[in-house]
Every structure is written in C-alpha cells, then in structure tokens.
Amino acid sequence: MGEIMTSVELTALQAAQSDAVAAAVRAAIAVHGGWLPFEDYLRLVLYAPGLGYYSAGSVKFGAAGDFVTAPELSSLFAHCVANQCAQVLAITGGDVLELGAGTGSLAAGVLTRLAVLGQLPRRYLILEVSAELRARQRQALSALAPALAARVEWLDVLPAVPIAGVMIANEVADALPFQRFVIDGAAAYERGVGLSADGQLIDADRPASPVLLAELARLAPQGWPPHYESELCPMLSPWMAVVAQALAHGVLLLIDYGLPRHEYYHWQRDRGTLRCHFRHRAHDDPLLYPGVQDVTAWVDFTRVAEAGCEAGLEVTGFCTQAAFLLANGIEAEVAAADDAVARARLAAQARVLLLPGEMGERFKVMALTRGFDEPMRAFALQDLRRSL
Ligand SMILES: C[S@@+](CC[C@H](N)C(=O)[O-])C[C@H]1O[C@@H](n2cnc3c(N)ncnc32)[C@H](O)[C@@H]1O
C-alpha cells in the first residue's frame, strides 16, 4: 500500500487516450456540480465505449500488457475449471456461460478439455461488455476445431430463458465499479473525484450520504477505527440479481482475489484494497493515467454470499484457489505432461497458481448454486464457508 508510481513513459497513443478520458472525466465532474462519485469515475475510465480501459484497444493481459490472470498464465487453470464443469454438466446437461471472458483463453481451454472428457456443453456462451475484448475472443476461438468453435455464442445481454449448467466469472467481480469511503474520527466521507484549481483530477471527499452511513454501520457494527479508508461494491447485489436470474439449474463459479468481510475490513487494512495495474506495476493512485491503467478492488466474499442468497442462490462452497485446483486434479495435469521439459514448465506455472505468496490464497473460489445438491469436487479439500 502507499506505493508511489514512478513515472512510466506512455506511448503517444496511450497519452492521447488518457487525455481524451481525462477530458471526459472533467466534463462529467462539471455535469455533477464539481464532484463525481468514484463509481461513476470508474464507469468512465474502465468502460466508456471506445475510450475506457476495457473498451479501448490496449493489450491489458499477458507479458506485453498490464497484468496476468490465471487462464493467461497457464492452461492448467482452464483444465481444472473444466474438470469441475464436467462434474456439474454430467448432472445438469446444458450450457457453460462465461462472464467477462478476457482474451478467450479460459473458454478455449475449458472447451478443449471438456471435449477430451466427453462432456461438451450444448453451447459455450460468452457475455463480454467490452467490444474490443469480444473481437479478440472471436479471433482466439476461431482457431479451435470447428466442432468446438461452433458451440461458442456471444451474448449482448444475459439469456432471457435461464440456462442449466455452469456460469464462470473469473476476475469479473473485482472489475465492477466500486465506492470509496474514508473514516476520520467520528466523521465518515465518500471519496469521489474533483478538480484542483489548475484543473488536475484530485481525490475529493464529501460527507457520507445516509445510505452510505447505514451501510458502514452494517459492515462494522462494532465501529470503525478512527482513521480508515476502504472500498465497497454496492453494484454487486444488482449484478448478482441479474446473473442469478439467468441460472435455472446449476452452478455459478465465482473466482477472484478477495476475503471474507471480517478480514476485508480488518483494522490493519486501513488503506483499503484498491489496486491499479499498469505494465505489471501495482500502485494505488487511480487518478493516474485515466483510461490506460486497470483499477480494481478486492472482493468482499461475504457480500458475494449475501448477494447470492438475496438472489435465491445457495452458497455451496468457498475455498482458496489452491484448494480448488488441487481438488480438481492439478497435480495429475502436471504429471501428464508429454515430456520432462513440458512437465517442468507446467510445474513452475502450478507453483504460481498454488503458492500462498502468489495466487494460491489471495484468490478464492465460491460456488453459488440453484437446485444443485451434489457435493462438488472443488470443495473436497477445504470448506471456508464458516469464515463468511
Ligand atoms: C480482469 S478481466 C478478467 C478477464 C478473464 N476472465 C480472465 O480471467 O482473464 C475482467 C473482465 O470482465 C469484463 N467485465 C467487466 N464487467 C462485466 C460485466 N458486468 N459483465 C460481463 N463482463 C464484464 C471485462 O470486460 C473483462 O473481460
């Protein structure tokens, strides 16, 4: 926390994009009377059509981008997710629906593996809000065998007829716009974005609204430390409600970096969980390079569970990514490599996915189900639901 981002040269294209996004933010601040809620700031810098980080053409994922996600890091991740999907699909039949499919790596790996397991879904549906990523996914998935590629369909909205099967959301909940708050003594503020006298974007705090005050009292009934700042994601609940509506029978697998609430709002985490990613550097200044850096916050998994239950789903499992991957056969996947070189490469990737100091414990997996009572193989090794 509190890192200073040392200056990084933007390309001319990135600088132009960032200037255009900053101009859009300034205009929005003016429309809002001088103060823009942080959630609205994020909607602009991440998702403004043609301009935002996810909507415009930056590389984002992988070595040449800003961050690496598990499916980009290793095919092992997709294979383990597919092993879990196969168990569910054998009971529910139906479809896989992936939310926010990034570059399409997970979709490609899951479909390929499900074909090997003889458990292909009827369709592999993708809901992607970014037109640019959707184009990238189309290109990546067109390289699949025609019998697999033919199952992929892109959706503009969630299906009106609810599906049976599996929904997957890897690193999507952390990408939803969130709110920031600041506790200072007895006072609570909502942190938004304003303008300095010379027109620069700055943090700007307003007294918390009655709605935010009530939410803060609910999140920490025993009270907050005197100096504290953090984040919360009011959008999670309406998002979950529409996602849940589209699931008739089966499992929503939500995978993300996050914590149960009592750890998320631990008194020692007094600078919150907000993180920005730009060219593999993490820092905590969301006003830097608007539109060309990713801005995220960790996921409060207690909120995910509450939102799922409100939406009529059941929380049937919660564990670390390491426990999920081990229970879904990651070791056997490594052992099955064609030769010693491939095995060594996969073993190195498995370490990053599994180790506590890497992705193994920061990332959690939650299963939210409807009408699905079978114990899932994912949670054979660990059940953290009591921590929620
Ligand atoms: C951090 S990326 C993760 C991508 C991919 N799942 C992976 O693991 O590589 C977040 C993704 O979620 C998408 N996204 C954000 N909000 C979304 C929403 N409301 N519905 C569907 N996708 C969304 C973004 O466009 C992007 O593809």
Side-chain angles (χ1 to χ4, degrees):
M1 291 284 151
E3 308 98 317
I4 309 265
M5 179 77 170
T6 47
S7 78
V8 174
E9 284 285 300
L10 300 188
T11 63
L13 209 62
Q14 285 173 327
Q17 188 197 340
S18 195
D19 288 348
V21 175
V25 171
R26 284 192 189 91
I29 292 172
V31 168
H32 279 76
W35 183 85
L36 189 65
F38 194 74
E39 274 180 288
D40 291 347
Y41 172 75
L42 285 181
R43 279 188 191 100
L44 273 174
V45 300
L46 297 180
Y47 298 111
L51 275 184
Y53 179 76
Y54 280 107
S55 333
S58 74
V59 175
K60 299 181 263 290
F61 306 88
D66 304 311
F67 56 85
V68 180
T69 62
E72 299 296 321
L73 181 80
S74 175
S75 57
L76 291 168
F77 183 80
H79 289 177
C80 291
V81 170
N83 291 343
Q84 178 56 80
C85 289
Q87 184 205 5
V88 178
L89 290 170
I91 296 165
T92 60
D95 304 311
V96 172
L97 193 168
E98 186 178 351
L99 301 157
T103 62
S105 297
L106 183 60
V110 167
L111 270 171
T112 306
R113 180 68 178 179
L114 286 175
V116 172
L117 297 172
Q119 200 61 68
L120 277 170
R122 194 165 62 90
R123 302 172 296 177
Y124 194 106
L125 306 168
I126 295 180
L127 180 71
E128 173 55 68
V129 292
S130 156
E132 190 272 330
L133 285 175
R134 198 192 269 227
R136 264 208 261 174
Q137 293 157 12
R138 273 188 199 285
Q139 197 182 12
L141 295 171
S142 65
L144 287 174
L148 301 187
R151 289 174 199 256
V152 185
E153 289 176 27
W154 280 266
L155 305 174
D156 292 321
V157 289
L158 283 159
V161 178
I163 64 156
V166 188
M167 288 181 169
I168 308 170
N170 187 59
E171 288 206 42
V172 178
D174 74 81
L176 298 177
F178 54 88
Q179 218 172 22
R180 300 178 79 189
F181 65 87
V182 177
I183 308 287
D184 187 10
Y189 300 90
E190 180 175 347
R191 175 154 290 170
V193 183
L195 290 179
S196 66
D198 63 350
Q200 301 301 310
L201 304 182
I202 50 169
D203 287 338
D205 296 344
R206 279 210 165 169
S209 68
V211 173
L212 177 56
L213 285 176
E215 182 61 359
L216 292 175
R218 188 180 80 86
L219 293 178
Q222 76 292 356
W224 292 94
H227 297 286
Y228 199 87
E229 54 185 75
S230 191
E231 301 79 32
L232 61 99
C233 186
M235 204 191 144
L236 192 80
S237 179
W239 177 75
M240 182 64 79
V242 293
V243 170
Q245 239 173 27
L247 182 66
H249 174 210
V251 177
L252 163 62
L253 266 187
L254 195 141
I255 309 168
D256 225 309
Y257 38 92
L259 295 164
R261 180 167 297 152
H262 67 97
E263 289 179 48
Y264 193 99
Y265 296 119
H266 192 277
W267 63 272
Q268 283 180 320
R269 199 165 276 107
D270 59 355
R271 298 290 309 279
T273 68
L274 181 149
R275 268 289 180 277
C276 307
H277 296 100
F278 183 66
R279 302 213 193 132
H280 298 276
R281 299 186 200 199
H283 68 99
D284 62 3
D285 183 358
L287 306 184
L288 195 67
Y289 308 142
V292 298
Q293 67 168 359
D294 190 23
V295 185
T296 72
W298 283 39
V299 172
D300 167 5
F301 271 99
T302 306
R303 184 178 288 276
V304 176
E306 288 168 351
C309 293
E310 275 165 30
L313 302 180
E314 206 178 321
V315 181
T316 49
F318 179 48
C319 69
T320 61
Q321 175 171 296
F324 172 87
L325 295 174
L326 288 166
N328 277 300
I330 191 169
E331 289 167 310
E333 296 286 338
V334 174
D338 288 340
D339 54 48
V341 175
R343 201 168 308 117
R345 188 173 44 81
L346 288 178
Q349 294 170 355
R351 278 196 289 280
V352 180
L353 293 172
L354 294 172
L355 283 177
E358 301 272 0
M359 300 173 92
E361 289 192 356
R362 262 185 301 137
F363 282 76
K364 310 284 192 302
V365 182
M366 182 172 273
L368 297 135
T369 60
R370 196 192 300 279
F372 189 87
D373 300 328
E374 198 67 24
M376 289 171 62
R377 62 180 287 184
F379 308 106
L381 299 177
Q382 191 182 53
D383 182 356
L384 296 177
R385 280 177 295 173
R386 280 154 59 113
S387 68
L388 291 167

